[in-house]
Amino acid sequence: MAVEQTFVIIKPEAVERKLIGEILGRFERKGLEVKRLAVTEIQKETAEEHYAHHQDKSFFPQLIEAITSGPVVLVVLEGDNAIEQVRTLIGATDPAAAAPGTIRGDLAIRLPYNMVHAADSPAAAEAEIKRFFGD
Ligand code: CMP
């Protein structure tokens, strides 16, 4: 079992609803370690780069508007198989379809407001940590 780092964004809708502690608590209770943490706002250019693979989708403008609409929390988590573990904890992309017990299944109801973003591969985790923390 490999120890990995992964990258998470707690999105503006979660910060607005004061769910930072609830969401970080779920990761910590699972056994993942918070290695880095920052409260910030994502600039439009950075958001467009981060979500560039969605730029042809009809929901792209709405997605950029949502992620830049207020403060976010940037998180680096570390632990065994952290990338897959976090994806399991957050649930399906569409909160309407996400299983109860998952972050999106319990705390969200409609896209694009699914509370968290998480890296989906080791390459994405490395690139996203570099993009948002600068190393
Ligand atoms: P995230 O994991 O941050 O990655 C891309 C984001 O696009 C996703 O979470 C949602 O916030 C958003 N998204 C994905 N599919 C749709 C959709 N069909 N309609 C609106 N937003 C979407």
Side-chain angles (χ1 to χ4, degrees), residues 1-2 4-7 27 30 32 77 79-91 118-122 125:
M1 188 66 70
E4 293 175 333
Q5 288 196 346
T6 191
F7 175 73
F27 295 135
K30 179 66 179 174
L32 295 159
L77 295 166
D80 290 353
N81 211 14
I83 295 164
E84 190 185 328
Q85 290 293 333
V86 166
R87 300 284 295 181
T88 301
L89 287 173
I90 69 175
D120 61 3
S121 68

Side-chain angles (χ1 to χ4, degrees), residues 1-47:
M1 188 66 70
V3 175
E4 293 175 333
Q5 288 196 346
T6 191
F7 175 73
V8 167
I9 303 172
I10 301 179
K11 296 185 178 185
E13 61 268 23
V15 175
E16 168 74 21
R17 286 177 53 198
K18 304 205 165 23
L19 293 171
I20 298 170
E22 165 74 31
I23 292 169
L24 282 178
R26 289 177 181 227
F27 295 135
E28 288 199 310
R29 290 198 296 277
K30 179 66 179 174
L32 295 159
E33 193 176 339
V34 176
K35 300 296 284 186
R36 307 182 77 162
L37 201 57
V39 180
T40 187
E41 292 194 25
I42 299 178
Q43 299 305 306
K44 189 163 184 274
E45 297 68 32
T46 307

Side-chain angles (χ1 to χ4, degrees), residues 11 51 54 59 62-63 93 104 111-114 116-118:
K11 296 185 178 185
Y51 284 127
H54 289 303
F59 60 80
Q62 192 192 4
L63 172 58
T93 299
R104 289 163 169 171
L111 283 170
Y113 309 106
N114 59 3
V116 285
H117 162 83

